[in-house]
Amino acid sequence: VISCHLLVVWQGAIAFAQYIAVNHKALNINNSRVLELGSGLGLSGLLTSKLGAKEVVLTEFGEDGISIENDVDDKRLLPTALISNLRYAVAMNNCENVNVCHLDWYDYLPNSLSSRGENKKFNNFDLIIGSDLLNWTDDAFPLYSTLKYLDKTNPNVKFLLCLPKNNREGVPKLVEMIQEDKYFSQIDIEEHCLIHFDEEYITLFITLSNAV
């Protein structure tokens, strides 16, 4: 998998890609439909395409080179070029079964859903993945709201998240919400260690599902 120029693949994505590569058969990647949240450069999502996924959708915030107007609060990071960078990565890797879409977690807050309606392009996925998704506590609830929305619109979907244990303020908050809310009937949280350039990188692998 080739990443974009002038950008960095975060360690969480590297750890997650290693996990997927080793466990792709157990994860039933082959012939599945995969949605990646907060794709960044799309390493994990692109890898699932190479491992036989039927369809992959990479999602990020924003449009090509344009910041979306911030109507929630003035503390949010409003990046540019994430979508165009993802499309470049898809083209570089010749992944014809991979699409790129804008997805803003703040659109899935409870007070936002009634005004926006159902987004059917995020339906019918078998596996929803994401790595290194959270920095700040403010984003934990929007992400959790998005997970719950996607669970309701994707019957029998499984979520697999790889999140850094240290130096990410939002991760403990998200874990707390998952455990206390008990919306998901199946919750599994495991700690893994990646050695990267002689440094230990501790990650939490979180599996969520309401599948029967």
Side-chain angles (χ1 to χ4, degrees):
V1 175
I2 305 171
S3 63
C4 294
H5 59 296
L6 301 179
L7 295 171
V8 176
V9 178
W10 288 17
Q11 290 178 323
I14 296 172
F16 198 33
Q18 290 178 344
Y19 181 87
I20 290 172
V22 171
N23 297 283
H24 65 95
K25 291 184 179 179
L27 294 171
N28 297 316
I29 297 295
N30 188 50
N31 208 37
S32 64
R33 299 187 72 242
V34 179
L35 174 69
E36 184 178 17
L37 303 175
S39 298
L41 297 180
L43 177 61
S44 301
L46 291 170
L47 178 60
T48 65
S49 172
K50 298 294 186 180
L51 291 171
K54 180 179 180 180
E55 180 183 357
V56 179
V57 174
L58 309 178
T59 66
E60 258 300 351
F61 180 94
E63 302 298 339
D64 294 284
I66 302 173
S67 291
I68 295 178
E69 183 180 354
N70 178 12
D71 57 359
V72 178
D73 58 54
D74 57 6
K75 294 187 293 182
R76 293 183 63 194
L77 176 66
L78 300 178
T80 63
L82 292 176
I83 295 292
S84 57
N85 286 335
L86 270 176
R87 289 183 178 139
Y88 177 81
V90 171
M92 286 288 290
N93 285 278
N94 299 312
C95 294
E96 296 182 357
N97 64 333
V98 178
N99 293 307
V100 176
C101 293
H102 160 74
L103 192 155
D104 183 358
W105 304 337
Y106 281 73
D107 286 342
Y108 298 90
L109 290 168
N111 60 357
S112 301
L113 286 173
S114 59
S115 62
R116 65 181 305 281
E118 182 180 347
N119 192 336
K120 294 185 178 180
K121 66 183 177 182
F122 298 133
N123 289 4
N124 301 315
F125 287 94
D126 305 299
L127 180 65
I128 297 178
I129 63 175
S131 64
D132 221 337
L133 295 172
L134 282 173
N135 279 312
W136 315 116
T137 55
D138 289 344
D139 293 327
F141 183 60
L143 174 56
Y144 186 53
S145 297
T146 302
L147 298 179
K148 292 170 68 174
Y149 172 84
L150 292 172
D151 177 73
K152 293 173 182 176
T153 57
N154 292 274
N156 298 316
V157 71
K158 176 187 285 187
F159 296 84
L160 181 59
L161 310 177
C162 174
L163 306 177
K165 182 179 180 180
N166 302 318
N167 302 318
R168 295 290 189 276
E169 295 178 4
V171 172
K173 186 65 176 178
L174 177 66
V175 171
E176 178 184 318
M177 289 178 183
I178 291 171
Q179 293 176 327
E180 292 186 356
D181 187 39
K182 298 180 180 179
Y183 168 82
F184 290 99
S185 60
Q186 301 174 44
I187 302 172
D188 183 60
I189 302 176
E190 297 182 355
E191 187 174 302
H192 291 254
C193 179
L194 167 71
I195 304 299
H196 186 61
F197 293 116
D198 297 325
E199 293 184 7
E200 284 193 350
Y201 186 75
I202 308 299
T203 59
L204 298 178
F205 281 81
I206 302 175
T207 304
L208 306 171
S209 179
N210 279 321
V212 178

